[in-house]
Amino acid sequence: MDTPLHLGMYDEYARMAEDVRTMQRRLAEVRVTADSDDGLISATVGGAGELLELWLDPRVYRDPDSAALAKSITETVHRAVALSRDEGVAIAASLLPAGATAENTDLRFDPYLRELDRQVAGGERR
């Protein structure tokens, strides 16, 4: 038989799991765009840092230096990813410890969520 303490713990696990799922939905909706310093390249990434769109102004082809173009594209994508991570940390702030930053935080909460689900399911079987 579950005691009120156990029931409260399972309710807390379920609430935390729902908070994580809500945060994951919000992260999935993130779209961040960064531009190159010269404004000729634009990269849009999602909440997981995945490249969604790359825009190149036709003027990038005026300079035949493919290595410089590749470097500028890479830097622009990295800038967009960094902005996306910052936004992700802001979204997840209530679930993170104080002082969490984009550099020291992994926003893939799936292992955490699986453990919460396991705890809730285990409590229901008792």
Side-chain angles (χ1 to χ4, degrees):
M1 179 175 188
D2 284 321
T3 65
L5 177 61
H6 284 119
L7 291 175
M9 286 175 31
Y10 300 127
D11 289 344
E12 181 67 14
Y13 282 135
R15 185 195 60 74
M16 289 183 341
E18 184 53 36
D19 288 348
V20 170
R21 286 185 179 91
T22 298
M23 184 265 320
Q24 287 178 320
R25 284 190 295 273
R26 289 182 62 201
L27 282 174
E29 295 171 358
V30 168
R31 300 293 180 266
V32 177
T33 301
D35 297 319
S36 61
D37 292 336
D38 61 10
L40 299 179
I41 300 165
S42 179
T44 300
V45 300
E50 72 279 19
L51 182 62
L52 300 173
E53 184 176 322
L54 179 66
W55 176 82
L56 303 174
D57 186 294
R59 293 177 291 166
V60 299
Y61 301 112
R62 291 181 183 167
D63 183 356
D65 186 351
S66 63
L69 176 59
K71 181 180 180 196
S72 187
I73 290 170
T74 300
E75 289 171 351
T76 304
V77 171
H78 287 175
R79 186 177 298 142
V81 169
L83 292 170
S84 173
R85 289 192 59 173
D86 289 343
E87 189 166 334
V89 169
I91 289 170
S94 67
L95 302 173
L96 300 173
T101 65
E103 292 76 31
N104 67 12
T105 301
D106 183 352
L107 292 176
R108 294 172 292 178
F109 279 82
D110 287 337
Y112 176 69
L113 191 55
R114 279 194 294 279
E115 178 59 21
L116 288 174
D117 287 342
R118 189 185 68 72
Q119 292 290 332
V120 170
E124 291 172 357
R125 285 192 294 249
R126 289 184 181 173

